[in-house]
Every structure is written in structure tokens, then in C-alpha cells.
């Protein structure tokens, strides 16, 4: 833009800055920002807001702070949009204290904040476990004439449920209803998640039946939450009954539902039920995701069906799903278990070629397999690679390797 003969107006500059920041080209945006000044175009609040937002998006918080102070020093008054960009950007990166520090003065009434600004601060303080500070922001919000909305209550509700503070959660729900605000699906699902996390399954069922069903607020997330809790508690039959109930009530299961159930039935040694679920999933047109593919590969590998496991692994890649380190480890483990170490080594090399770094589990599997196959020099070479990556070998495995070398 600096090559143009005529100097664009501030409106055109801002459009260009926004384009650059939307592509995360922050350095280029900062260059253009400087060119504006050199060409005699004084950046306005919109210009600063765009570049501050862009800097936050790429985690350049020092740059964003510098721009913020520069804007104020130039005599420009940040508006609601500028404060929103700053607060959301900083809170998204876990910088809630800095966001609060930069905006606290304006909260006293200099600028009329929108609910989203207060909600971002409340959410940030909740995430850092400082509920007192979050509650103080909510009270300040009300005093400033900005009425807490559904998002405000849901953020606080989410915190209470995660921390298993159910009395506080129920009080929040009651307060919402008293103020004429109906808790939504998200509100009830948070409470349901908390009850299941605390293993209070009876109460979770009562909430679903007595409150949620009557209001039409039960969805696939609700069912997945309870089904997952039942599976973790070992109540697989009850989980499957609930799965069947979904169909009867017209709520379609999703990939998460099938993944939970297929995983538990494979783990419990019921591959026929898992296969039935997998077929149903295919009929519904649902595609397997990486988690489910890996679950199946892991099960087949552990039960000695390595040919089928490898075939499923290849299907995953053919469907455009990139295996992660957990996927590779599942198959490597299968090959090592049956002493097909050369194929395990091929996978070990392949994953690195494709940019998937081995983790501690990978190294231990490979070294264990090489020791078992009496390929000691190769085992030592992999051990060296492991230490270079900052991982350490288990004492038992390292002792086995050292003894094998000296024998």
C-alpha cells in the first residue's frame, strides 16, 4: 500500500489493516500502521483496535499493551469495541489480570461496557480459580447498569459444577429463574456433567427426568454425559439401555456416543456388540474420527489381530485422518508384542517423517521390542534418541538393556 502515489484515506488504511490481521500478518500490519503516520494519516481508535486485536490473536501481548498505551497517550479515548478487543484477546490467552488492570479505570463509568466484556473477565477469573474476583466483577457489572445475561450465569454455573459446588450451582439456577431468565440446555448440561463427575448418578437421572425432559432440554450431550458416567462406573448394561432410549425419543446418537460405547465394549471383551454399534454408525452415515479409529486399532493390536489392526490404521489414513502419537503407539505395541520389530521400526521412522514426534511411550515400546529381539545396538541408538528428546527410560527397562549389553 505504501507504493501508491495517492495517500489512501483512513477508511482504506483500516480495511487493509483488518485484512492483514485477519491473515495473522501482524508484522506487515504494524509496518502499514507506521506508514499511515509517515503519510500524514493519523490512526484512529478503529486502527488501534484492529492492530491490538491482531496482536492478541498471535499472542503478541507486549505489542498489544504498547499499542494500547500509545493510543491513550495520543489523546484517543478507547470505545466499547476497543475494550472488547483488548479484554477478549487477553482473557483468551489467560492474561485476565492484565486485562483487568488495563480496563479497571474505565469500569467506573468512563465507557459503557457491553456484557461480553464483563463475561470475558468473569470467565477468565473463574478459569484461574478466583471465584471471589469473578463474583465481584458480576456485582460491579450490575451496579454499572449492565444486567448479567445468560452467558454470565452459565460461566459461573460452569465453574460451580466443575468444582462440584452443587449448592451454589442450584442457587444460581434459582436466581436465574427469579430474574425471569430461563436456564438453557447448556445450563442444565453443566449441572448434569457436575453430578456425573461426582458420581451422583441417581441425582443426574432425576435432573434429566424431572427437569430437563419436561422443558424439552435433553439433547445428545445430555445422553452422552450420563452414558459416559455409567460406563466409567461399570454399569454397561444401563448405558446401553440409555443408548436405546435415545432412538425411541428421537435423539440421534453422534460419534461421541458411539465412541464411548464401542470403547467400553471392546475393553470388556464384547467385540460382537462393538461391531454391531460400528455397523449402526456406518448405516447412519457417521464417519469414524481419529479417537475411534485408534480405539479399534488398540483393541485389535492387544488381542493379537495385528493384520486387521494394520488394515484399520491404513483405512484411517485413506479417509484423510492423520494418525497421532497415540494411534502410532497402539500399532507399534501390537507389532512389538508379536516380535515383528522390523515393522514396528518402519512405523517409528514413518511417524517422524510425517511430523509426528515419538513420546515416552513410543520409545519404551521400541526399545523393549528391540531388546526382546536381541537387536541391542539398535536399542542403544534409540535410547540415545530418547535421551536427546529429554525422556528417561524406566529403571527396569534400562537395567535389562544394560545387562543385555554386558552379557
Amino acid at each position: 500500500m505504501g507504493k501508491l502515489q495517492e495517500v489512501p484515506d483512513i477508511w482504506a488504511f483500516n480495511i487493509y489493516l483488518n485484512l492483514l490481521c485477519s491473515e495473522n500478518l501482524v508484522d506487515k500490519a504494524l509496518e502499514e500502521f507506521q506508514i499511515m503516520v509517515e503519510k500524514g494519516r493519523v490512526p484512529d481508535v478503529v486502527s488501534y483496535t484492529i492492530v491490538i486485536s491482531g496482536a492478541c490473536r498471535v499472542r503478541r501481548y507486549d505489542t498489544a499493551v504498547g499499542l494500547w498505551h500509545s493510543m491513550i497517550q495520543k489523546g484517543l479515548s478507547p470505545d466499547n469495541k476497543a475494550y472488547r478487543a483488548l479484554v477478549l484477546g487477553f482473557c483468551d490467552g489467560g492474561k485476565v489480570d492484565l486485562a483487568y488492570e488495563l480496563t479497571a479505570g474505565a469500569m467506573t463509568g468512563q465507557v459503557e461496557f457491553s456484557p461480553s466484556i464483563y463475561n470475558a473477565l468473569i470467565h477468565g477469573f473463574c478459569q484461574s480459580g478466583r471465584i471471589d474476583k469473578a463474583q465481584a466483577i458480576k456485582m460491579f457489572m450490575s451496579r454499572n447498569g449492565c444486567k448479567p445475561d445468560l452467558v454470565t450465569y452459565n460461566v459461573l454455573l460452569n465453574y460451580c459444577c466443575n468444582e462440584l459446588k452443587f449448592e451454589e450451582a442450584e442457587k444460581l439456577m434459582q436466581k436465574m429463574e427469579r430474574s425471569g431468565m430461563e436456564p438453557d440446555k447448556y445450563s442444565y448440561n453443566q449441572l448434569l456433567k457436575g453430578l456425573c463427575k461426582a458420581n451422583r448418578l441417581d441425582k443426574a437421572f432425576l435432573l434429566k427426568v424431572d427437569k430437563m425432559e419436561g422443558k424439552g432440554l435433553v439433547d445428545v450431550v445430555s445422553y452422552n454425559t450420563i452414558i459416559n458416567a455409567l460406563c466409567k462406573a461399570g454399569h454397561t448394561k444401563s448405558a446401553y439401555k440409555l443408548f436405546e432410549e435415545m432412538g425411541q425419543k428421537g435423539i440421534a446418537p453422534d460419534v461421541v456416543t458411539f465412541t464411548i460405547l464401542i470403547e467400553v465394549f471392546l475393553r470388556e471383551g464384547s467385540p460382537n456388540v462393538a461391531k454391531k454399534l460400528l455397523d449402526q454408525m456406518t448405516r447412519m452415515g457417521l464417519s469414524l474420527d481419529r479417537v475411534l479409529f485408534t480405539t479399534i486399532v488398540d483393541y485389535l493390536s492387544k488381542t493379537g489381530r495385528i493384520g486387521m489392526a494394520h488394515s484399520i490404521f491404513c483405512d484411517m489414513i485413506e479417509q484423510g485422518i492423520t494418525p497421532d502419537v497415540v494411534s502410532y503407539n497402539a500399532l507399534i505395541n501390537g507389532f512389538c508384542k508379536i516380535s515383528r520389530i522390523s515393522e514396528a521400526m518402519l512405523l517409528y521412522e514413518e511417524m517422524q517423517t510425517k511430523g509426528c514426534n515419538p513420546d515416552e511411550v513410543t520409545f519404551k515400546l521400541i526399545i523393549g521390542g528391540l531388546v526382546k529381539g536381541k537387536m541391542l545396538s539398535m536399542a542403544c541408538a534409540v535410547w540415545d534418541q530418547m535421551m536427546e528428546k529429554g525422556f528417561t527410560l524406566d529403571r527396569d527397562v534400562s537395567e535389562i538393556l544394560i545387562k543385555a549389553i554386558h552379557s
Side-chain angles (χ1 to χ4, degrees):
M1 204 173 207
K3 295 178 182 179
L4 296 174
Q5 296 296 318
E6 291 186 18
V7 182
D9 61 16
I10 192 70
W11 182 79
F13 262 118
N14 286 345
I15 288 175
Y16 189 47
L17 287 174
N18 192 51
L19 176 65
L20 292 170
C21 288
S22 67
E23 297 291 329
N24 292 334
L25 301 171
V26 175
D27 286 325
K28 180 64 178 168
L30 290 168
E31 282 177 27
E32 290 299 326
F33 191 84
Q34 188 57 40
I35 289 168
M36 288 173 70
V37 178
E38 291 168 2
K39 297 279 187 181
R41 296 293 185 214
V42 180
D44 59 7
V45 173
V46 175
S47 318
Y48 277 100
T49 301
I50 290 166
V51 186
I52 287 167
S53 180
C56 288
R57 198 178 298 122
V58 296
R59 304 294 191 255
R60 297 263 298 270
Y61 299 111
D62 289 343
T63 302
V65 170
L67 286 162
W68 184 264
H69 288 314
S70 172
M71 173 172 61
I72 292 167
Q73 286 163 10
K74 299 279 193 226
L76 294 170
S77 299
D79 58 9
N80 179 73
K81 287 182 180 178
Y83 278 107
R84 186 177 183 278
L86 182 83
V87 170
L88 267 63
F90 276 67
C91 288
D92 185 55
K95 306 281 185 183
V96 64
D97 285 302
L98 192 51
Y100 178 74
E101 181 188 320
L102 292 169
T103 57
M107 272 191 212
T108 55
Q110 293 175 23
V111 179
E112 190 175 325
F113 282 5
S114 61
S116 60
I117 296 174
Y118 289 110
N119 290 341
L121 288 167
I122 291 167
H123 182 251
F125 283 120
C126 283
Q127 279 197 316
S128 63
R130 290 146 75 191
I131 187 64
D132 292 345
K133 194 77 174 174
Q135 292 281 16
I137 296 286
K138 177 179 169 286
M139 287 174 65
F140 201 87
M141 176 184 188
S142 300
R143 284 203 302 269
N144 273 7
C146 184
K147 190 178 178 183
D149 61 9
L150 187 60
V151 175
T152 317
Y153 281 103
N154 278 345
V155 167
L156 292 166
L157 192 64
N158 180 52
Y159 170 83
C160 292
C161 293
N162 281 339
E163 296 298 314
L164 309 184
K165 297 181 176 182
F166 299 115
E167 283 185 24
E168 289 92 330
E170 285 174 11
K171 283 177 187 175
L172 272 171
M173 297 278 267
Q174 289 164 8
K175 196 169 184 180
M176 288 169 77
E177 289 168 347
R178 282 199 306 271
S179 61
M181 195 181 299
E182 277 294 317
D184 62 359
K185 284 181 182 179
Y186 181 86
S187 315
Y188 278 105
N189 279 334
Q190 287 305 305
L191 191 51
L192 201 63
K193 183 181 78 175
L195 291 167
C196 287
K197 185 179 176 182
N199 204 28
R200 294 168 68 174
L201 296 178
D202 290 344
K203 197 151 188 180
F205 268 108
L206 283 173
L207 178 68
K208 171 184 164 290
V209 174
D210 293 349
K211 294 278 186 76
M212 297 175 72
E213 286 183 354
K215 295 180 179 182
L217 296 175
V218 179
D219 61 6
V220 66
V221 175
S222 318
Y223 274 102
N224 287 348
T225 301
I226 302 176
I227 287 170
N228 189 44
L230 287 167
C231 288
K232 282 182 177 178
H235 305 307
T236 315
K237 286 183 180 177
S238 298
Y240 194 80
K241 281 181 184 176
L242 207 57
F243 168 73
E244 291 176 323
E245 182 188 293
M246 289 177 76
Q248 293 160 9
K249 297 204 171 177
I251 297 172
D254 60 9
V255 174
V256 175
T257 323
F258 282 106
T259 301
I260 293 165
L261 290 168
I262 289 170
E263 186 175 43
V264 76
F265 282 116
L266 288 176
R267 192 168 62 240
E268 291 187 354
S270 304
N272 293 335
V273 182
K275 178 68 168 65
K276 180 183 169 186
L277 286 163
L278 197 58
D279 290 342
Q280 184 178 342
M281 186 178 174
T282 306
R283 285 195 304 273
M284 288 175 65
L286 293 172
S287 300
L288 280 72
D289 61 7
R290 184 166 56 202
V291 174
L292 188 48
F293 266 117
T294 301
T295 298
I296 296 167
V297 169
D298 185 55
Y299 170 76
L300 293 169
S301 295
K302 284 175 178 173
T303 53
R305 285 173 269 189
I306 195 66
M308 195 179 293
H310 193 213
S311 175
I312 297 288
F313 187 87
C314 292
D315 287 346
M316 171 169 59
I317 295 169
E318 284 173 16
Q319 290 188 29
I321 299 169
T322 305
D324 63 5
V325 67
V326 181
S327 315
Y328 275 105
N329 287 348
L331 195 54
I332 286 170
N333 184 42
F335 280 125
C336 288
K337 274 176 74 100
I338 57 170
S339 300
R340 286 165 63 174
I341 191 62
S342 58
E343 284 151 295
M345 282 300 294
L346 283 173
L347 281 168
Y348 171 69
E349 288 161 8
E350 178 193 295
M351 68 189 289
Q352 293 176 83
T353 305
K354 293 187 175 179
C356 180
N357 294 319
D359 64 4
E360 194 172 357
V361 175
T362 321
F363 284 116
K364 288 175 181 177
L365 288 170
I366 290 291
I367 291 169
L370 289 167
V371 170
K372 187 179 174 184
K374 302 192 184 310
M375 301 176 187
L376 301 182
S377 59
M378 199 178 288
C380 287
V382 175
W383 192 8
D384 287 340
Q385 293 168 21
M386 181 181 186
M387 288 188 288
E388 283 172 12
K389 298 282 185 184
F391 297 116
T392 54
L393 204 55
D394 287 342
R395 185 177 174 181
D396 293 343
V397 180
S398 59
E399 283 180 359
I400 291 167
L401 181 54
I402 291 164
K403 281 179 185 175
I405 292 166
H406 292 296
S407 63

